[in-house]
Amino acid sequence: MKRTVLILCAYLFTAAALSAQVRRPTIMVVPSDVWCNTNGYVTEYDNQGVRQILPDYRLALQSDPVLVASIARINMLMSDRGFPLKDLESTLKTMERDAAENSLIQGKTTGASISESPIDILRRTARADIILSLTWSVNTVGPKKSVTYTLQGLDAYTDVQIAGAQGTGTQSFSSEVPVLLEEAINTHMDTFTEQLQSYFDDLESHGRAISVAVMVFDNGSDIDLETEYNGSELSEILDNWMYENTVGHEYIKTNETETRAEYEDVRIPLARSNGMSMDAEYFIRELRRYLGEAPFNLPCKLIPRGLGRALLVIGDK
């Protein structure tokens, strides 16, 4: 009997330890593009001469107390289930402090500059694993109100939807919109969070997908992806590096010319050796170091494009 009790205690201790080791994805709740457009919280962004309309989260948070309260309610629901949170408003304040940083970064010789959308900068600053995109509308029938909502879980690196919940809550005479929204979402929250965790567990096993482009500066150096080093073309050297450094050697080369190579579904670890999050910029930083060493000795400029995309331009910094 005593031996049985000891075995049971050991089993329970091991199970608790394994449960504590389960890593939860970090999330950030944002109002959806549809909600921002419907309510007029948008701004125009000049993307290399092309005007784009993007959600203005700062304006929305400053203008709509219901939004602030609703995000707080969902944050509480996620926190109760053990998910680490990144707060949208706090992240925006950090972005404002660093607003001038990227505008001052240019190539030393060519003057090439970093091109990142405000949304990419937001996600890079927050470093959340998953974005929860929230849309809701209020239904009024006489004195009663209800809320219809859509909650989408998006991979912050790829924008792929990985979980979803939608529905309409019960009608109420007196409850405030954030309370109605919380009650409506809570009905499906367990299934929703299970979808999030299942996806994240798969990432830990098979790596996170990013996209990488490699280009060559046109600066008269006569270096391109067909240049040979020790009998191998530079394009082959890039392929070998990808093979050796990706999780499960998984990547797909989607395009190659003498001046450009593109890689999709490049699988990278979720974390670096020191436990910090891995993203496309850090991953390709290692490639830049590799190409900067003998026998290549190639200067390279790394241009991040959000968390999940990076551009490496060979031939200049």
Side-chain angles (χ1 to χ4, degrees), residues 246-266:
T246 49
V247 175
H249 311 299
E250 289 191 43
Y251 70 91
I252 299 173
K253 179 182 264 187
T254 57
N255 183 41
E256 180 184 340
T257 67
E258 64 181 24
T259 60
R260 184 182 183 93
E262 296 180 359
Y263 299 89
E264 300 286 342
D265 202 27
V266 178

Side-chain angles (χ1 to χ4, degrees), residues 23 127 155 157-158 200 202-212 241-242 245-251 263-272 276-286 306-310:
R23 184 184 169 201
R127 305 196 68 82
D155 186 317
Y157 287 62
T158 62
F200 194 71
D202 182 73
L203 292 187
E204 288 200 307
S205 299
H206 300 100
R208 186 192 298 283
I210 65 167
S211 301
V212 177
W241 188 92
M242 287 288 180
N245 289 275
T246 49
V247 175
H249 311 299
E250 289 191 43
Y251 70 91
Y263 299 89
E264 300 286 342
D265 202 27
V266 178
R267 295 287 174 159
I268 67 173
L270 287 182
R272 315 174 199 175
M276 296 177 65
S277 295
M278 176 83 80
D279 60 11
E281 178 183 3
Y282 182 85
F283 181 74
I284 298 304
R285 193 183 302 163
E286 295 302 312
L307 292 173
R309 295 183 299 132

Side-chain angles (χ1 to χ4, degrees), residues 99-121:
E101 177 183 344
N102 280 351
S103 64
L104 299 178
I105 300 176
Q106 293 184 328
K108 292 180 180 178
T109 303
T110 64
S113 61
I114 289 177
S115 175
E116 258 188 311
S117 76
I119 301 302
D120 281 340
I121 297 173

Side-chain angles (χ1 to χ4, degrees), residues 85-299:
L85 300 168
K86 294 288 186 177
D87 181 65
L88 175 60
E89 188 169 14
S90 298
T91 301
L92 290 174
K93 291 179 180 177
T94 300
M95 285 175 56
E96 290 167 0
R97 289 196 298 266
D98 300 336
E101 177 183 344
N102 280 351
S103 64
L104 299 178
I105 300 176
Q106 293 184 328
K108 292 180 180 178
T109 303
T110 64
S113 61
I114 289 177
S115 175
E116 258 188 311
S117 76
I119 301 302
D120 281 340
I121 297 173
L122 170 67
R123 295 185 179 188
R124 177 171 53 79
T125 305
R127 305 196 68 82
D129 297 301
I130 295 170
I131 301 295
L132 299 190
S133 177
L134 172 65
T135 305
W136 82 88
S137 59
V138 179
N139 311 305
T140 303
V141 180
K144 294 183 179 181
K145 291 182 178 180
S146 64
V147 170
T148 298
Y149 77 94
T150 299
L151 189 63
Q152 296 172 291
L154 306 173
D155 186 317
Y157 287 62
T158 62
D159 281 333
V160 172
Q161 180 171 329
I162 58 177
Q166 60 183 7
T168 300
T170 57
Q171 295 182 336
S172 172
F173 285 102
S174 58
S175 294
E176 299 292 331
V177 170
V179 176
L180 292 174
L181 186 60
E182 177 187 0
E183 292 173 349
I185 291 176
N186 200 33
T187 303
H188 302 98
M189 185 54 74
D190 287 338
T191 301
F192 182 76
T193 54
E194 286 171 6
Q195 293 173 350
L196 297 180
Q197 189 63 51
S198 176
Y199 177 80
F200 194 71
D201 291 343
D202 182 73
L203 292 187
E204 288 200 307
S205 299
H206 300 100
R208 186 192 298 283
I210 65 167
S211 301
V212 177
V214 180
M215 300 178 66
V216 179
F217 275 115
D218 183 13
N219 58 4
S221 65
D222 293 327
I223 294 175
D224 59 30
L225 300 187
E226 294 181 347
T227 302
E228 292 192 7
Y229 297 89
N230 296 331
S232 296
E233 290 187 353
L234 187 52
S235 62
E236 298 177 77
I237 293 165
L238 292 173
D239 290 348
N240 290 335
W241 188 92
M242 287 288 180
Y243 180 85
E244 294 296 334
N245 289 275
T246 49
V247 175
H249 311 299
E250 289 191 43
Y251 70 91
I252 299 173
K253 179 182 264 187
T254 57
N255 183 41
E256 180 184 340
T257 67
E258 64 181 24
T259 60
R260 184 182 183 93
E262 296 180 359
Y263 299 89
E264 300 286 342
D265 202 27
V266 178
R267 295 287 174 159
I268 67 173
L270 287 182
R272 315 174 199 175
S273 58
N274 62 3
M276 296 177 65
S277 295
M278 176 83 80
D279 60 11
E281 178 183 3
Y282 182 85
F283 181 74
I284 298 304
R285 193 183 302 163
E286 295 302 312
L287 175 57
R288 182 180 64 183
R289 290 195 183 102
Y290 176 71
L291 294 177
E293 298 172 351
F296 318 111
N297 301 314
L298 292 171

